mmCIF file with all atom_site columns, all heavy atoms in Angstrom:
data_model
loop_
_atom_site.group_PDB
_atom_site.id
_atom_site.type_symbol
_atom_site.label_atom_id
_atom_site.label_alt_id
_atom_site.label_comp_id
_atom_site.label_asym_id
_atom_site.label_entity_id
_atom_site.label_seq_id
_atom_site.pdbx_PDB_ins_code
_atom_site.Cartn_x
_atom_site.Cartn_y
_atom_site.Cartn_z
_atom_site.occupancy
_atom_site.B_iso_or_equiv
_atom_site.pdbx_formal_charge
_atom_site.auth_seq_id
_atom_site.auth_comp_id
_atom_site.auth_asym_id
_atom_site.auth_atom_id
_atom_site.pdbx_PDB_model_num
ATOM 1   N N   . PHE A 1 133 ? 67.956 -6.468  -51.786 1.00 91.00 ? 153 PHE A N   1
ATOM 2   C CA  . PHE A 1 133 ? 69.287 -6.940  -51.396 1.00 91.00 ? 153 PHE A CA  1
ATOM 3   C C   . PHE A 1 133 ? 69.183 -8.045  -50.326 1.00 91.00 ? 153 PHE A C   1
ATOM 4   O O   . PHE A 1 133 ? 69.814 -9.076  -50.401 1.00 91.00 ? 153 PHE A O   1
ATOM 5   C CB  . PHE A 1 133 ? 70.132 -5.781  -50.865 1.00 91.00 ? 153 PHE A CB  1
ATOM 6   C CG  . PHE A 1 133 ? 71.474 -6.197  -50.363 1.00 91.00 ? 153 PHE A CG  1
ATOM 7   C CD1 . PHE A 1 133 ? 72.549 -6.356  -51.233 1.00 91.00 ? 153 PHE A CD1 1
ATOM 8   C CD2 . PHE A 1 133 ? 71.703 -6.375  -48.985 1.00 91.00 ? 153 PHE A CD2 1
ATOM 9   C CE1 . PHE A 1 133 ? 73.784 -6.749  -50.766 1.00 91.00 ? 153 PHE A CE1 1
ATOM 10  C CE2 . PHE A 1 133 ? 72.944 -6.752  -48.530 1.00 91.00 ? 153 PHE A CE2 1
ATOM 11  C CZ  . PHE A 1 133 ? 73.974 -6.916  -49.411 1.00 91.00 ? 153 PHE A CZ  1
ATOM 12  N N   . THR A 1 134 ? 68.320 -7.767  -49.341 1.00 92.00 ? 154 THR A N   1
ATOM 13  C CA  . THR A 1 134 ? 68.188 -8.749  -48.254 1.00 92.00 ? 154 THR A CA  1
ATOM 14  C C   . THR A 1 134 ? 67.434 -9.987  -48.668 1.00 92.00 ? 154 THR A C   1
ATOM 15  O O   . THR A 1 134 ? 67.590 -11.042 -48.058 1.00 92.00 ? 154 THR A O   1
ATOM 16  C CB  . THR A 1 134 ? 67.482 -8.117  -47.046 1.00 92.00 ? 154 THR A CB  1
ATOM 17  O OG1 . THR A 1 134 ? 66.220 -7.610  -47.429 1.00 92.00 ? 154 THR A OG1 1
ATOM 18  C CG2 . THR A 1 134 ? 68.337 -7.014  -46.434 1.00 92.00 ? 154 THR A CG2 1
ATOM 19  N N   . ALA A 1 135 ? 66.642 -9.885  -49.739 1.00 92.00 ? 155 ALA A N   1
ATOM 20  C CA  . ALA A 1 135 ? 65.864 -11.057 -50.197 1.00 92.00 ? 155 ALA A CA  1
ATOM 21  C C   . ALA A 1 135 ? 66.684 -11.954 -51.131 1.00 92.00 ? 155 ALA A C   1
ATOM 22  O O   . ALA A 1 135 ? 66.247 -13.065 -51.433 1.00 92.00 ? 155 ALA A O   1
ATOM 23  C CB  . ALA A 1 135 ? 64.612 -10.586 -50.900 1.00 92.00 ? 155 ALA A CB  1
ATOM 24  N N   . ARG A 1 136 ? 67.822 -11.521 -51.611 1.00 90.00 ? 156 ARG A N   1
ATOM 25  C CA  . ARG A 1 136 ? 68.631 -12.303 -52.550 1.00 90.00 ? 156 ARG A CA  1
ATOM 26  C C   . ARG A 1 136 ? 69.681 -13.154 -51.823 1.00 90.00 ? 156 ARG A C   1
ATOM 27  O O   . ARG A 1 136 ? 70.267 -12.719 -50.829 1.00 90.00 ? 156 ARG A O   1
ATOM 28  C CB  . ARG A 1 136 ? 69.325 -11.403 -53.533 1.00 90.00 ? 156 ARG A CB  1
ATOM 29  C CG  . ARG A 1 136 ? 68.430 -10.516 -54.340 1.00 90.00 ? 156 ARG A CG  1
ATOM 30  C CD  . ARG A 1 136 ? 67.848 -11.305 -55.514 1.00 90.00 ? 156 ARG A CD  1
ATOM 31  N NE  . ARG A 1 136 ? 67.233 -10.406 -56.476 1.00 90.00 ? 156 ARG A NE  1
ATOM 32  C CZ  . ARG A 1 136 ? 65.918 -10.225 -56.607 1.00 90.00 ? 156 ARG A CZ  1
ATOM 33  N NH1 . ARG A 1 136 ? 65.095 -10.903 -55.842 1.00 90.00 ? 156 ARG A NH1 1
ATOM 34  N NH2 . ARG A 1 136 ? 65.463 -9.431  -57.501 1.00 90.00 ? 156 ARG A NH2 1
ATOM 35  N N   . ASP A 1 137 ? 69.932 -14.301 -52.422 1.00 90.00 ? 157 ASP A N   1
ATOM 36  C CA  . ASP A 1 137 ? 70.993 -15.161 -51.905 1.00 90.00 ? 157 ASP A CA  1
ATOM 37  C C   . ASP A 1 137 ? 72.223 -15.146 -52.819 1.00 90.00 ? 157 ASP A C   1
ATOM 38  O O   . ASP A 1 137 ? 73.340 -15.430 -52.394 1.00 90.00 ? 157 ASP A O   1
ATOM 39  C CB  . ASP A 1 137 ? 70.501 -16.620 -51.775 1.00 90.00 ? 157 ASP A CB  1
ATOM 40  C CG  . ASP A 1 137 ? 69.530 -16.800 -50.617 1.00 90.00 ? 157 ASP A CG  1
ATOM 41  O OD1 . ASP A 1 137 ? 69.576 -15.980 -49.685 1.00 90.00 ? 157 ASP A OD1 1
ATOM 42  O OD2 . ASP A 1 137 ? 68.741 -17.751 -50.661 1.00 90.00 ? 157 ASP A OD2 1
ATOM 43  N N   . ASP A 1 138 ? 72.005 -14.849 -54.084 1.00 92.00 ? 158 ASP A N   1
ATOM 44  C CA  . ASP A 1 138 ? 73.080 -14.866 -55.053 1.00 92.00 ? 158 ASP A CA  1
ATOM 45  C C   . ASP A 1 138 ? 74.029 -13.704 -54.829 1.00 92.00 ? 158 ASP A C   1
ATOM 46  O O   . ASP A 1 138 ? 73.607 -12.540 -54.837 1.00 92.00 ? 158 ASP A O   1
ATOM 47  C CB  . ASP A 1 138 ? 72.466 -14.781 -56.467 1.00 92.00 ? 158 ASP A CB  1
ATOM 48  C CG  . ASP A 1 138 ? 73.495 -14.890 -57.577 1.00 92.00 ? 158 ASP A CG  1
ATOM 49  O OD1 . ASP A 1 138 ? 74.623 -15.359 -57.312 1.00 92.00 ? 158 ASP A OD1 1
ATOM 50  O OD2 . ASP A 1 138 ? 73.193 -14.438 -58.705 1.00 92.00 ? 158 ASP A OD2 1
ATOM 51  N N   . PRO A 1 139 ? 75.325 -13.954 -54.590 1.00 92.00 ? 159 PRO A N   1
ATOM 52  C CA  . PRO A 1 139 ? 76.277 -12.861 -54.326 1.00 92.00 ? 159 PRO A CA  1
ATOM 53  C C   . PRO A 1 139 ? 76.407 -11.884 -55.494 1.00 92.00 ? 159 PRO A C   1
ATOM 54  O O   . PRO A 1 139 ? 76.602 -10.673 -55.270 1.00 92.00 ? 159 PRO A O   1
ATOM 55  C CB  . PRO A 1 139 ? 77.592 -13.581 -54.087 1.00 92.00 ? 159 PRO A CB  1
ATOM 56  C CG  . PRO A 1 139 ? 77.243 -15.005 -53.795 1.00 92.00 ? 159 PRO A CG  1
ATOM 57  C CD  . PRO A 1 139 ? 75.933 -15.268 -54.434 1.00 92.00 ? 159 PRO A CD  1
ATOM 58  N N   . ALA A 1 140 ? 76.286 -12.329 -56.723 1.00 93.00 ? 160 ALA A N   1
ATOM 59  C CA  . ALA A 1 140 ? 76.408 -11.423 -57.880 1.00 93.00 ? 160 ALA A CA  1
ATOM 60  C C   . ALA A 1 140 ? 75.222 -10.451 -57.905 1.00 93.00 ? 160 ALA A C   1
ATOM 61  O O   . ALA A 1 140 ? 75.402 -9.254  -58.154 1.00 93.00 ? 160 ALA A O   1
ATOM 62  C CB  . ALA A 1 140 ? 76.449 -12.240 -59.180 1.00 93.00 ? 160 ALA A CB  1
ATOM 63  N N   . GLN A 1 141 ? 74.030 -10.974 -57.682 1.00 92.00 ? 161 GLN A N   1
ATOM 64  C CA  . GLN A 1 141 ? 72.835 -10.093 -57.633 1.00 92.00 ? 161 GLN A CA  1
ATOM 65  C C   . GLN A 1 141 ? 72.924 -9.112  -56.465 1.00 92.00 ? 161 GLN A C   1
ATOM 66  O O   . GLN A 1 141 ? 72.574 -7.939  -56.613 1.00 92.00 ? 161 GLN A O   1
ATOM 67  C CB  . GLN A 1 141 ? 71.577 -10.933 -57.528 1.00 92.00 ? 161 GLN A CB  1
ATOM 68  C CG  . GLN A 1 141 ? 71.207 -11.678 -58.783 1.00 92.00 ? 161 GLN A CG  1
ATOM 69  C CD  . GLN A 1 141 ? 69.948 -12.505 -58.624 1.00 92.00 ? 161 GLN A CD  1
ATOM 70  O OE1 . GLN A 1 141 ? 69.417 -12.628 -57.531 1.00 92.00 ? 161 GLN A OE1 1
ATOM 71  N NE2 . GLN A 1 141 ? 69.463 -13.078 -59.728 1.00 92.00 ? 161 GLN A NE2 1
ATOM 72  N N   . ARG A 1 142 ? 73.417 -9.614  -55.337 1.00 92.00 ? 162 ARG A N   1
ATOM 73  C CA  . ARG A 1 142 ? 73.534 -8.753  -54.159 1.00 92.00 ? 162 ARG A CA  1
ATOM 74  C C   . ARG A 1 142 ? 74.557 -7.631  -54.416 1.00 92.00 ? 162 ARG A C   1
ATOM 75  O O   . ARG A 1 142 ? 74.324 -6.471  -54.017 1.00 92.00 ? 162 ARG A O   1
ATOM 76  C CB  . ARG A 1 142 ? 73.946 -9.562  -52.945 1.00 92.00 ? 162 ARG A CB  1
ATOM 77  C CG  . ARG A 1 142 ? 72.812 -10.434 -52.412 1.00 92.00 ? 162 ARG A CG  1
ATOM 78  C CD  . ARG A 1 142 ? 73.279 -11.212 -51.212 1.00 92.00 ? 162 ARG A CD  1
ATOM 79  N NE  . ARG A 1 142 ? 73.349 -10.317 -50.080 1.00 92.00 ? 162 ARG A NE  1
ATOM 80  C CZ  . ARG A 1 142 ? 72.881 -10.567 -48.861 1.00 92.00 ? 162 ARG A CZ  1
ATOM 81  N NH1 . ARG A 1 142 ? 72.295 -11.730 -48.651 1.00 92.00 ? 162 ARG A NH1 1
ATOM 82  N NH2 . ARG A 1 142 ? 72.988 -9.709  -47.914 1.00 92.00 ? 162 ARG A NH2 1
ATOM 83  N N   . ALA A 1 143 ? 75.662 -7.960  -55.087 1.00 93.00 ? 163 ALA A N   1
ATOM 84  C CA  . ALA A 1 143 ? 76.682 -6.932  -55.392 1.00 93.00 ? 163 ALA A CA  1
ATOM 85  C C   . ALA A 1 143 ? 76.102 -5.886  -56.345 1.00 93.00 ? 163 ALA A C   1
ATOM 86  O O   . ALA A 1 143 ? 76.340 -4.678  -56.168 1.00 93.00 ? 163 ALA A O   1
ATOM 87  C CB  . ALA A 1 143 ? 77.923 -7.599  -56.008 1.00 93.00 ? 163 ALA A CB  1
ATOM 88  N N   . ARG A 1 144 ? 75.356 -6.315  -57.364 1.00 94.00 ? 164 ARG A N   1
ATOM 89  C CA  . ARG A 1 144 ? 74.742 -5.384  -58.290 1.00 94.00 ? 164 ARG A CA  1
ATOM 90  C C   . ARG A 1 144 ? 73.746 -4.480  -57.567 1.00 94.00 ? 164 ARG A C   1
ATOM 91  O O   . ARG A 1 144 ? 73.748 -3.254  -57.744 1.00 94.00 ? 164 ARG A O   1
ATOM 92  C CB  . ARG A 1 144 ? 74.037 -6.143  -59.408 1.00 94.00 ? 164 ARG A CB  1
ATOM 93  C CG  . ARG A 1 144 ? 73.377 -5.265  -60.450 1.00 94.00 ? 164 ARG A CG  1
ATOM 94  C CD  . ARG A 1 144 ? 72.679 -6.057  -61.548 1.00 94.00 ? 164 ARG A CD  1
ATOM 95  N NE  . ARG A 1 144 ? 71.725 -7.042  -61.052 1.00 94.00 ? 164 ARG A NE  1
ATOM 96  C CZ  . ARG A 1 144 ? 70.473 -6.781  -60.687 1.00 94.00 ? 164 ARG A CZ  1
ATOM 97  N NH1 . ARG A 1 144 ? 70.032 -5.548  -60.760 1.00 94.00 ? 164 ARG A NH1 1
ATOM 98  N NH2 . ARG A 1 144 ? 69.666 -7.739  -60.266 1.00 94.00 ? 164 ARG A NH2 1
ATOM 99  N N   . LEU A 1 145 ? 72.909 -5.051  -56.704 1.00 93.00 ? 165 LEU A N   1
ATOM 100 C CA  . LEU A 1 145 ? 71.934 -4.268  -55.932 1.00 93.00 ? 165 LEU A CA  1
ATOM 101 C C   . LEU A 1 145 ? 72.623 -3.301  -54.977 1.00 93.00 ? 165 LEU A C   1
ATOM 102 O O   . LEU A 1 145 ? 72.161 -2.172  -54.781 1.00 93.00 ? 165 LEU A O   1
ATOM 103 C CB  . LEU A 1 145 ? 70.975 -5.197  -55.184 1.00 93.00 ? 165 LEU A CB  1
ATOM 104 C CG  . LEU A 1 145 ? 69.980 -5.971  -56.045 1.00 93.00 ? 165 LEU A CG  1
ATOM 105 C CD1 . LEU A 1 145 ? 69.250 -7.032  -55.226 1.00 93.00 ? 165 LEU A CD1 1
ATOM 106 C CD2 . LEU A 1 145 ? 68.982 -4.997  -56.677 1.00 93.00 ? 165 LEU A CD2 1
ATOM 107 N N   . GLU A 1 146 ? 73.706 -3.730  -54.380 1.00 93.00 ? 166 GLU A N   1
ATOM 108 C CA  . GLU A 1 146 ? 74.436 -2.883  -53.460 1.00 93.00 ? 166 GLU A CA  1
ATOM 109 C C   . GLU A 1 146 ? 75.053 -1.670  -54.216 1.00 93.00 ? 166 GLU A C   1
ATOM 110 O O   . GLU A 1 146 ? 75.051 -0.544  -53.680 1.00 93.00 ? 166 GLU A O   1
ATOM 111 C CB  . GLU A 1 146 ? 75.540 -3.648  -52.721 1.00 93.00 ? 166 GLU A CB  1
ATOM 112 C CG  . GLU A 1 146 ? 76.318 -2.850  -51.707 1.00 93.00 ? 166 GLU A CG  1
ATOM 113 C CD  . GLU A 1 146 ? 75.439 -2.173  -50.656 1.00 93.00 ? 166 GLU A CD  1
ATOM 114 O OE1 . GLU A 1 146 ? 74.389 -2.716  -50.255 1.00 93.00 ? 166 GLU A OE1 1
ATOM 115 O OE2 . GLU A 1 146 ? 75.823 -1.054  -50.198 1.00 93.00 ? 166 GLU A OE2 1
#
Side-chain angles (χ1 to χ4, degrees):
F153 177 82
T154 56
R156 301 280 193 255
D157 288 336
D158 183 20
Q161 288 179 352
R162 288 180 75 133
R164 181 180 53 83
L165 289 170
E166 182 56 33

